[in-house]
Amino acid sequence: MTQPVAAAPWPWLTGWVFLSWRHHEKIRRDLESSLSVGTAIATMRDRESRSRSASLAWFDHWYPVLCFFFLFQGVVMMRISFVIATGVFSVSLLSGAAMAEQNSAMMNAYQARMLIQDFTQRLQGELKGAMKDGGPVAAVAICKDKAPGIADSLSQQSGWQIGRTSLKPRNVERNSPDLWEQRVLRQFEDRARIGENPNTITYAEVVEESGGRSYRFMKAIPTAEVCLACHGKKINPEIAAALDAAYPQDQARGYEAGDLRGAFSLKKPL
């Protein structure tokens, strides 16, 4: 009977040696890796420490500069804000003042127009009654006596100075224009000459005078058909005689219908 042959131990031994070597290599690599990581961590910590130290040194160096910069910036922004706010406030005040002045001018112009309308209605009422009772000759006396009284009455009631004027006045003593009125009347003539309707021509201005500031307003007086009896080129001799007697220096003749004859002139102290 054949006896079994015992297996040689060398393959097992070789495998054990190989596995031991692989395990040793793994331990060595793990150790080296651990040492490398530790070294890297240490290096990173060292760098972080140096970076922190550098940052603290930079901060210590620049902190006063930064404080001054932000303080200066704050002051500058406050100044800019103050300048802007002052500008806006000034503009608001100017706008408010301009608006108030404009509103005042509109109100004054409205009052002036209403006074002119009142004056015209009263005078026309007197003239119609005189024309009905005594004809154009009677109307001459109304213009001479009643018109100034109506103007004076309205002036006392309103606080305005109300009158009529012309570059060719009929009542020279009362209605001759001053320098300002002369300038405006010539302006009216120029405006009518280029086609502006005399019924709508007006002018207003705040004037500095010796007695103070005044608001002045003028409205053109066009020549109507009914006015030609006393202001036209062909005047009845009887009417002409009455005019000569009432107004020795009369210049208000020779007009045609639509001509600019003069203007209402109103003034209000401010």
Side-chain angles (χ1 to χ4, degrees):
M1 181 173 178
T2 304
Q3 295 292 330
V5 180
W10 298 110
W12 293 99
L13 182 60
T14 303
W16 179 82
V17 171
F18 176 76
L19 291 175
S20 297
W21 177 79
R22 290 290 301 273
H23 181 67
H24 173 75
E25 286 296 317
K26 183 176 182 301
I27 292 174
R28 185 177 61 82
R29 284 197 302 270
D30 290 343
L31 181 60
E32 288 178 353
S33 177
S34 299
L35 291 174
S36 298
V37 170
T39 303
I41 292 174
T43 302
M44 290 176 62
R45 288 178 177 175
D46 183 61
R47 289 178 180 176
E48 182 180 356
S49 176
R50 288 199 301 268
S51 176
R52 187 182 298 110
S53 299
S55 299
L56 291 174
W58 181 91
F59 183 78
D60 291 341
H61 177 75
W62 289 103
Y63 179 73
V65 178
L66 291 173
C67 289
F68 177 78
F69 171 76
F70 287 117
L71 178 62
F72 177 76
Q73 185 182 38
V75 172
V76 170
M77 291 304 296
M78 288 178 62
R79 291 286 297 177
I80 293 174
S81 300
F82 177 76
V83 170
I84 293 174
T86 303
V88 171
F89 182 68
S90 300
V91 170
S92 299
L93 287 179
L94 291 175
S95 299
M99 186 175 294
E101 186 174 351
Q102 182 179 6
N103 291 338
S104 177
M106 292 175 62
M107 180 59 67
N108 286 332
Y110 174 78
Q111 291 178 3
R113 291 176 185 275
M114 292 299 100
L115 288 169
I116 291 171
Q117 181 178 332
D118 195 0
F119 176 88
T120 302
Q121 290 175 349
R122 292 191 190 188
L123 182 57
Q124 286 179 350
E126 294 285 350
L127 287 173
K128 286 180 180 179
M131 290 285 288
K132 183 178 180 180
D133 295 337
V137 175
V140 173
I142 291 296
C143 284
K144 183 177 185 298
D145 300 328
K146 293 289 186 178
I150 294 172
D152 292 343
S153 175
L154 287 173
S155 297
Q156 292 176 1
Q157 293 172 12
S158 64
W160 288 70
Q161 180 181 325
I162 304 168
R164 294 176 297 171
T165 189
S166 173
L167 294 174
K168 295 167 59 178
R170 172 153 284 173
N171 188 337
V172 175
E173 293 181 0
R174 184 179 177 92
N175 297 334
S176 293
D178 60 24
L179 294 177
W180 185 84
E181 291 170 329
Q182 290 178 32
R183 177 172 62 83
V184 177
L185 286 167
R186 293 192 180 94
Q187 178 198 114
F188 282 6
E189 288 185 340
D190 293 338
R191 291 165 64 180
R193 192 176 297 115
I194 62 176
E196 190 170 348
N197 186 354
N199 287 293
T200 61
I201 295 177
T202 61
Y203 181 78
E205 183 181 357
V206 175
V207 180
E208 294 285 349
E209 300 177 317
S210 58
R213 298 171 73 243
S214 298
Y215 175 85
R216 304 197 67 169
F217 182 91
M218 288 181 68
K219 184 180 185 303
I221 300 175
T223 304
E225 287 286 347
V226 70
C227 302
L228 296 178
C230 297
H231 294 280
K233 294 181 177 181
K234 296 179 180 181
I235 300 175
N236 182 287
E238 186 180 2
I239 298 175
L243 290 172
D244 292 339
Y247 306 103
Q249 304 178 59
D250 179 26
Q251 304 173 35
R253 305 183 193 186
Y255 291 102
E256 295 180 353
D259 287 347
L260 182 64
R261 184 163 57 87
F264 292 99
S265 181
L266 291 83
K267 180 166 66 173
K268 176 185 178 180
L270 297 178

